[in-house]
Amino acid sequence: MGLPKFTRPKGGHEELSSNLYVANCGPAVGLTLDSIESAFSLYGTVKGVYPADESGCRVIVSYDDESSAQTALKALDRKTCSDLGGRSLHIRYSVQRPLSQVVPTDSVQVSLEASEMNIPGVYLIHDFISAQEEEQLLAAVDARPWHNLAKRRVQHYGYEFCYNIRNVDTQQRLGELPSFVACVLDKVPVFQKLDEAADVSLDQLTVNEYPSGVGLSPHIDTHSAFEGSIYSLSLSGPCIMEFRRYSNTNACFGDRDAESCDNSSNCIRKAIYLPPRSMLLLSGEGRYAWQHYIPHHKIDMVKDTIIRRGSRRVSFTFRKVRKGPCQCDYPQFCDSPR
Ligand SMILES: O=C(O)CCC(=O)C(=O)O
Ligand SMILES: [Fe+2]
């Protein structure tokens, strides 16, 4: 996750600012962001209250103007604050954090094209659908019920994907894929020009909606659940997708967190930029042996450009449910009985 935009000033010199760095204050000491906002609102219009770091006891209070911040600082710094549980707050003017610190530092070079990333079996087609089709697809899913997961919302069509077992129940068919995805399915066979073995008869669709800053943990889609071609259509907002492959076999198919891949000989990391309306195909080695994930960032560094995630990204992942055993060439990553 990137760091907040504002931080504590260094040294004694303080410049007036409309943003205050408030210590000894926050959810970890029993004060909700709402109660902090209402206490600071006595001194001017508060634009927002944000955690200053992950401690839970330091916040940034952001005012519309510097004079409100100055009044609040004079009134509340190191005084017992009865509206905030009698706590004594330590307040300073906040400074903008250098952009180099806001952008995640664990980043890997992000490719714009799949060929540049060079993972066998991974293909990306830009502008796979038109802006009008994108709008229609979003309207269609927004008119249907979403299921809430911890950090994102999902819909399943064809078969339900069960997250606890990372698999599908092939006995429980929900029905045909909905007619509103016909415009996408009609175009899927163009991938056969890139990968002649690409499956085009797809029967399972998962729609994911990610709020800004929410990503997806590293995983390989369960071999026993789905066949060899996995398509992901990106809508609404951009993101990056990272890939990593462990060379040692005990990496197995369990999830690990993104930080544990150090780009050494044990683990290679790569990344690609997924703009809205692009369609990604994972097949072969890219589908069976590489984990894929979306980092939990609000900002991605793509080449030399900082790209902000939109307020949401919606993806349509099309797959074909597997009915027989998996016969991939990667037994070390395969859960299917052989
Ligand atoms: O959101 C995406 O593009 C990928 C989703 C995904 O990897 C999955 O559902 O397994
Ligand atoms: Fe996946």
Side-chain angles (χ1 to χ4, degrees):
M1 176 90 79
L3 292 164
K5 250 168 62 188
F6 293 97
T7 186
R8 189 168 80 89
K10 290 220 164 58
H13 179 75
E14 301 225 342
E15 246 175 66
L16 211 59
S17 157
S18 56
N19 301 291
L20 296 177
Y21 177 86
V22 185
N24 198 20
C25 181
V29 294
L31 302 173
T32 63
L33 298 183
D34 283 347
S35 67
I36 299 165
E37 176 165 346
S38 87
F40 279 81
S41 294
L42 294 176
Y43 307 96
T45 307
V46 174
K47 284 200 300 191
V49 178
Y50 318 97
D53 51 39
E54 283 167 6
S55 67
C57 60
R58 291 183 276 267
V59 296
I60 302 295
V61 176
S62 201
Y63 279 103
D64 249 358
D65 57 88
E66 290 176 353
S67 68
S68 304
Q70 191 177 27
T71 316
L73 188 143
K74 283 190 181 146
L76 299 176
D77 184 36
R78 288 160 212 272
K79 309 225 171 76
T80 306
C81 185
S82 55
D83 289 341
L84 292 172
R87 301 196 73 78
S88 167
L89 311 181
H90 294 201
I91 310 181
R92 301 179 66 181
Y93 294 112
S94 173
V95 292
Q96 194 143 11
R97 199 185 281 275
L99 209 47
S100 58
Q101 288 183 15
V102 177
V103 173
T105 49
D106 65 336
S107 49
V108 57
Q109 267 294 329
V110 179
S111 303
L112 295 175
E113 306 282 346
S115 54
E116 185 190 337
M117 192 171 57
N118 199 18
I119 298 178
V122 177
Y123 304 94
L124 180 71
I125 299 184
H126 290 118
D127 295 309
F128 191 74
I129 55 165
S130 67
Q132 194 190 356
E133 287 167 328
E134 176 187 33
E135 228 173 86
Q136 287 164 352
L137 290 167
L138 289 168
V141 288
D142 281 333
R144 287 167 173 78
W146 290 96
H147 304 283
N148 290 308
L149 301 183
K151 291 192 175 156
R152 59 183 208 278
R153 301 193 298 174
V154 296
Q155 296 182 13
H156 298 291
Y157 297 93
Y159 293 85
E160 182 168 355
F161 182 72
C162 306
Y163 291 92
N164 51 348
I165 50 169
R166 298 200 61 81
N167 214 317
V168 287
D169 180 352
T170 51
Q171 304 305 309
Q172 297 272 323
R173 184 145 194 234
L174 303 172
E176 299 282 317
L177 292 189
S179 56
F180 62 81
V181 294
C183 63
V184 184
L185 295 177
D186 287 351
K187 285 186 249 202
V188 166
V190 305
F191 275 98
Q192 287 177 324
K193 291 190 191 141
L194 302 171
D195 170 8
E196 55 184 39
D199 288 320
V200 296
S201 54
L202 307 166
D203 57 8
Q204 198 274 337
L205 164 63
T206 296
V207 182
N208 276 291
E209 181 201 49
Y210 305 84
S212 172
V214 171
L216 186 68
S217 316
H219 65 281
I220 295 176
D221 287 35
T222 314
H223 289 201
S224 63
F226 302 111
E227 297 274 354
S229 304
I230 294 177
Y231 298 87
S232 186
L233 180 68
S234 293
L235 305 174
S236 189
C239 74
I240 63 165
M241 183 172 277
E242 294 198 5
F243 294 85
R244 64 188 189 187
R245 183 173 175 180
Y246 289 95
S247 53
N248 57 351
T249 50
N250 56 13
C252 212
F253 25 87
D255 292 352
R256 289 197 185 174
D257 58 20
E259 273 63 53
S260 66
C261 180
D262 55 0
N263 238 341
S264 67
S265 56
N266 271 344
C267 179
I268 318 166
R269 247 172 105 199
K270 303 196 176 202
I272 193 164
Y273 175 57
L274 301 180
R277 298 185 293 286
S278 65
M279 179 76 126
L280 179 77
L281 166 60
L282 305 183
S283 65
E285 183 183 322
R287 181 263 181 273
Y288 287 122
W290 287 73
Q291 294 188 340
H292 56 278
Y293 57 101
I294 300 170
H296 300 275
H297 297 163
K298 286 199 170 171
I299 288 170
D300 296 305
M301 194 76 188
V302 179
K303 305 293 179 196
D304 288 327
T305 308
I306 289 167
I307 301 208
R308 285 178 196 282
R309 301 259 176 102
S311 58
R312 68 170 180 166
R313 170 176 178 265
V314 177
S315 67
F316 283 46
T317 303
F318 295 93
R319 302 177 275 210
K320 183 174 180 191
V321 168
R322 190 182 289 285
K323 303 281 165 42
C326 176
Q327 288 172 337
C328 69
D329 297 330
Y330 306 91
Q332 69 271 43
F333 302 115
C334 188
D335 65 311
S336 173
R338 297 170 168 254

